[in-house]
């Protein structure tokens, strides 16, 4: 069990570092109508891969899946499932704190309510709504730079609130499941 916890701690540190490298080196927002899909893929696919890897590496999960777990005792994998969640939650939390993926994804939505929320009351509001998908690249000159920066700052701030909620729930889940150990 101590080896598994050590591996999890190392994986969390590597996940955090990997996300930082990934978002600065690999990720480039396309600044077109595909921003939403592109941003979500970069946010969720690595988290899904880390979840799969975490579950595969867990000995208790394999015992539960293969039926080698004794049914007379408590279910083997039920209490240690949260260890498999640590790396994907770390990835998502760090990515949301960084805000680059969210910034790209949310500027690509075609949701009138969100677009109006981001551009309402700003200079050249109509142009802001139309050109929102180009904001992460800063290429469009029809919308003033300060308006683009304000919208991106709003998206980043809203993105940074989510990991706090996510980590709060994970802490509660971990504390409640540690009673099983």
């Amino acid at each position: 069990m101590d080896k598994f916890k050590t591996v999890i701690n190392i994986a969390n540190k590597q996940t955090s570092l990997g996300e930082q490298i990934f978002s600065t080196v690999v990720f480039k927002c396309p600044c077109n109508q595909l921003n939403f899909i592109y941003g979500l893929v970069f946010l969720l696919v690595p988290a899904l891969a880390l979840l799969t890897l975490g579950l595969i590496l867990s000995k208790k999960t394999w015992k539960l899946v293969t039926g080698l777990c004794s049914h007379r005792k408590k279910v083997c994998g039920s209490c240690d499932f949260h260890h498999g969640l640590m790396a994907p939650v770390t990835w998502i939390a760090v990515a949301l704190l960084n805000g680059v993926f969210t910034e790209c994804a949310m500027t690509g939505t075609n949701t009138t309510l969100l677009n109006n929320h981001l551009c309402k009351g700003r200079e050249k509001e109509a142009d802001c709504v139309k050109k929102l998908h180009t904001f992460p690249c800063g290429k469009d000159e029809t919308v003033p730079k300060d308006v683009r920066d304000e919208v991106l700052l709003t998206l980043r701030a809203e993105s940074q609130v989510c990991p706090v909620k996510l980590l709060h729930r994970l802490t509660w889940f971990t504390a409640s499941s540690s009673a099983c150990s």
Side-chain angles (χ1 to χ4, degrees):
M1 186 65 173
D2 289 334
K3 287 181 185 179
F4 188 66
K5 286 182 181 179
T6 304
V7 169
I8 292 296
N9 288 335
I10 292 170
N12 284 338
K13 290 175 186 171
Q14 289 178 342
T15 300
S16 179
L17 179 64
E19 191 284 328
Q20 290 295 320
I21 292 170
F22 204 66
S23 64
T24 55
V25 176
V26 177
F27 184 78
K28 301 290 182 231
C29 191
C31 294
N32 58 30
Q33 300 301 325
L34 296 175
N35 285 8
F36 183 72
I37 295 169
Y38 193 77
L40 283 183
V41 164
F42 272 83
L43 179 67
L44 299 177
V45 169
L48 183 61
L50 289 167
L51 175 65
T52 305
L53 187 63
L55 293 176
I56 287 171
L57 293 176
S58 173
K59 189 180 352 178
K60 289 190 177 186
T61 302
W62 279 109
K63 285 182 180 180
L64 181 66
V65 170
T66 58
L68 296 175
C69 184
S70 174
H71 294 291
R72 285 178 241 144
K73 300 178 187 175
K74 64 181 178 187
V75 179
C76 290
S78 64
C79 294
D80 285 333
F81 181 72
H82 67 276
H83 291 298
L85 292 174
M86 294 305 290
V89 168
T90 301
W91 175 274
I92 291 173
V94 172
L96 289 173
L97 282 171
N98 189 357
V100 176
F101 300 141
T102 309
E103 201 175 77
C104 182
M106 299 317 284
T107 56
T109 61
N110 288 329
T111 309
T112 307
L113 184 65
L114 176 67
N115 293 352
N116 289 338
H117 162 69
L118 292 172
C119 294
K120 187 175 183 178
R122 308 220 193 264
E123 184 181 338
K124 297 189 175 187
E125 187 175 328
D127 287 337
C128 177
V129 172
K130 287 181 195 171
K131 300 292 185 175
L132 192 60
H133 63 274
T134 64
F135 283 15
C137 296
K139 294 177 182 176
D140 195 288
E141 297 299 323
T142 58
V143 179
K145 182 180 179 350
D146 60 324
V147 172
R148 284 194 317 258
D149 291 344
E150 284 180 35
V151 169
L152 294 176
L153 186 63
T154 301
L155 283 170
R156 214 168 260 210
E158 290 173 358
S159 172
Q160 291 170 346
V161 170
C162 295
V164 174
K165 293 178 182 179
L166 183 68
L167 292 174
H168 171 66
R169 287 188 177 99
L170 181 68
T171 303
W172 179 83
F173 177 70
T174 303
S176 64
S177 67
S178 67
C180 296
S181 300

